[in-house]
Amino acid sequence: MHDPFTPVATVPVDPRRARVHEEGWQSWSPSGAYALDARPHRPTNADWATVCYRPGVTAPAGVFQGEGLLALDPGDGSPVRLWAATDPTREVPSIRLTARAGRAEVTADGPVKEYAGAEGADLQATLADWATSCGLAAPRPAPTVWCSWYEYFTAVTEDDVHENLRAMDTLDLPVDVVQIDDGYQRALGDWLTLSGRFRSREGIADAIRARGRRAGIWTAPFLVDPASDLAAVHPDWLVRDDDGGFAHAGRNWGHDLRVLDTTHPDAAAYLTDVFRTLCAEGYDYFKVDFLYAGALDGVRHDDRVDATAAYRQGIALIREAIGPDAYLLGCGAPILPSLGLFDAMRVSPDTAPHRRPEADDYSQPGQDPAEFTGVGRQWQHGRLWTNDPDCLMARPAVETRERWAAHVEATGGLMASSDRLLSLDEWGVHTTRRLLSGGR
């Protein structure tokens, strides 16, 4: 339940020059700056509203809305104004701005605090100052990564990983971590049961480490496929809706997805065992994805824990299982509720071999939306975590690969390659080597 929107501030603006920064709910939610006469990006269907935006929260037409954070450059030479949740790790109100007759009216449905930017500071600088004020420790240096996703998607095989592992040596690519993405597991939720395309998780981790690299692995720890063994055997481990059915986490992989309830002691013990097992097998880099599911409203085993607290408890459980030295990358994660939990964070929608997203929805895969939100969240880098702009794709089949590579390089964040390495031409090999080497 959200409180009614109440007035927070009224600010004079120059309608021609003013700009508003909307902070989206999670990694894939469009975030960035708009002119006052612009139409902000909004979901184009109900499923994407659940999977990529803040579920159950709708912004009226003609209104700007930030989830826990909104900033305004009035455009008249006066300082940037910023409104933020008073404690974003506990409560994230929606903050709205409506422009009328040379004034911006700001409202919120929960407690917010106002900040004024330094003289001459623009939106990004003011947002960066706010991030610094959060007082988080500077993130440790990020490893370089090769990831299987953007070449093989869910069809990846163990042999594909071995081929690329050999190619890293052949092409002299400075890859620290070889990360196996979605496709090694039988089903979402059955993380320790292999698909038919993999023979041994431990064996492939050993092979990666034998070549002097680190083993990384992908999970979506809060999602459960209804066709999984977990869903069949332990339905009591799943979050419910108010009517007693299963809480709905959107539709993907051809299924209506369910949510693991980590406030249930047995579900928490299971997830702990999953990550401890992966660590014991030699994995020490973890990409945890589709994390929005852990913060969905619903009926949980422990009814004293709200959705935000349940999400943070779930991530804390994973961190405890993998230990402080393992590297933890979040994706599809509620941004402000994630403060202090991750080494790196995906700060944009997925990229793609193409520029434009489906239905022109800027939460969907595409280079244009990934650049828009990646640039809009650059202020987070080095202050809240290491930004992950998503993977470099440098193979010839990738549309505008030069522009995408320039964006990834400009962020200065996590550098990850996601090509079949033997498919790279001379430009692709050189660019991949240069970005993974820190631009040298």
Side-chain angles (χ1 to χ4, degrees), residues 126 183-184 249 261 280 355 437:
T126 303
Y184 68 90
D261 180 4
R355 292 220 63 89
S437 301

Side-chain angles (χ1 to χ4, degrees), residues 91-130:
E91 183 178 4
V92 182
S94 296
I95 307 167
R96 290 178 176 171
L97 184 148
T98 305
R100 293 191 181 96
R103 305 182 78 79
E105 298 174 1
V106 180
T107 61
D109 66 357
V112 298
K113 185 175 180 180
E114 181 175 334
Y115 299 78
E119 184 176 353
D122 62 10
L123 282 170
Q124 281 281 314
T126 303
L127 289 160
D129 287 344
W130 177 81

Side-chain angles (χ1 to χ4, degrees), residues 278-358:
L278 294 173
C279 284
E281 291 175 347
Y283 295 90
D284 69 351
Y285 176 100
F286 296 89
K287 178 180 177 180
V288 285
D289 205 351
F290 291 81
L291 297 180
Y292 70 87
L296 290 172
D297 289 333
V299 179
R300 289 175 166 80
H301 177 81
D302 188 342
D303 59 10
R304 300 165 299 176
V305 180
D306 67 18
T308 300
Y311 167 72
R312 287 185 63 85
Q313 287 180 17
I315 300 299
L317 179 153
I318 293 168
R319 171 54 80 184
E320 182 178 3
I322 65 176
D325 296 332
Y327 201 85
L328 188 61
L329 164 64
C331 186
I335 291 293
L336 295 189
S338 295
L339 296 183
L341 298 177
F342 293 94
D343 296 297
M345 175 64 71
R346 170 74 75 73
V347 291
S348 68
D350 280 14
T351 186
H354 51 269
R355 292 220 63 89
R356 302 300 296 176
E358 184 180 350

Side-chain angles (χ1 to χ4, degrees), residues 224-244:
V224 177
D225 186 327
S228 65
D229 290 342
L230 187 152
V233 177
H234 300 290
D236 54 318
W237 293 4
L238 305 179
V239 177
R240 299 281 177 159
D241 62 26
D242 291 335
D243 296 325

